[in-house]
Amino acid sequence: MARSTFTILLGGALTPTDRLARQLVGSRFVAADGGMRHARTLAVTPDVWVGDFDSTEEALLAEFAGVPREPYPAAKAATDGEIAVEAALSRGAEALIFAGALGGSRSDHAFLHLLQAAALSERGLPVFMTSGEEEAYPLLAGEIDIDLPKGSLFSILGLTDLFGLTIVNARYPLTDFTLPFGSSRTVSNVAEGPLRISLDTGRAIVLARPYDLSGA
């Protein structure tokens, strides 16, 4: 990785896959509370472990006793994930991966991670989210390329009205399309290979399932 990339280990689901392993090559890691369990799965050692540790098992605390901890009180004004992002930025992060950010038992946290990813992208920071089986990419004004296998499912979820939406190399392409906020028009599309998506105005999230070839 040319830029300094940090992976934030969060408390949601994370499935180790070959694709995930390739995406994490060269990354440094910050663990957010119970997200440290993914360090065991990925066989990595984070630079730092932050949070209030209310969702961390004693066995995990013992296993990673050598990792520096930055504890915070339970009555804090930010989530453990947000604190972890700030810890990564303070250590020079120039790109972020949210691992374990999707799914899990806390839909409020998963939705917040999507919004945080969009907000960080607006600040010019490359960021994407992954569960290993599903990925999410912020889509703002401009153009993004997403390397997806042919036949994999993806959806574009508008956070606002979208103007000038163009989708290239998909089963259902669009050109300079206007998508009203709340529309389902861009749900369950199928990639024909690497995607190129561009947008004139608006904010959205691209959700992709690179291992789901049910649309092939």
Side-chain angles (χ1 to χ4, degrees):
M1 293 181 180
R3 59 173 63 94
S4 179
T5 299
F6 276 73
T7 297
I8 309 300
L9 300 178
L10 297 162
L14 188 67
T15 301
T17 63
D18 291 341
R19 180 180 174 90
L20 177 63
R22 292 192 299 270
Q23 291 168 333
L24 298 183
V25 169
S27 178
R28 295 165 65 183
F29 295 84
V30 175
D33 202 344
M36 179 60 96
R37 73 184 189 278
H38 300 314
R40 177 194 296 151
T41 301
L42 300 172
V44 299
T45 301
D47 289 28
V48 65
W49 190 0
V50 305
D52 54 23
F53 300 98
D54 65 347
S55 58
T56 301
E57 300 174 357
E58 288 297 326
L60 202 60
L61 291 169
E63 182 177 351
F64 290 96
V67 175
R69 298 178 197 169
E70 294 183 2
Y72 290 80
K76 56 189 185 302
T79 63
D80 294 328
E82 187 173 356
I83 292 169
V85 167
E86 292 305 317
L89 294 177
S90 71
R91 287 164 172 77
E94 298 173 306
L96 291 173
I97 299 171
F98 288 6
L102 302 169
S105 60
R106 292 293 302 269
S107 56
D108 53 347
H109 282 220
F111 185 68
L112 176 63
H113 294 148
L114 291 168
L115 297 180
Q116 286 178 327
L120 289 165
S121 185
E122 284 193 329
R123 291 165 53 182
L125 197 71
V127 55
F128 82 95
M129 304 163 57
T130 178
S131 70
E133 296 181 336
E134 188 172 39
E135 300 169 358
Y137 300 82
L139 175 62
L140 306 176
E143 184 176 88
I144 63 171
D145 293 307
I146 304 176
D147 187 10
L148 291 177
K150 179 179 173 61
S152 53
L153 293 177
F154 75 96
S155 298
I156 298 175
L157 305 181
L159 303 176
T160 64
D161 292 333
L162 304 183
F163 299 96
L165 175 65
T166 297
I167 305 172
V168 178
N169 205 32
R171 180 172 299 172
Y172 308 111
L174 291 174
T175 301
D176 196 23
F177 185 75
T178 297
L179 183 75
F181 177 58
S183 171
S184 64
R185 172 70 180 271
T186 50
V187 171
S188 296
N189 206 334
V190 181
E192 297 295 345
L195 290 174
R196 175 162 292 176
I197 304 172
S198 60
L199 184 66
D200 288 344
T201 306
R203 298 183 186 90
I205 295 290
V206 182
L207 284 171
R209 298 181 59 81
Y211 286 95
D212 185 347
L213 305 181
S214 59

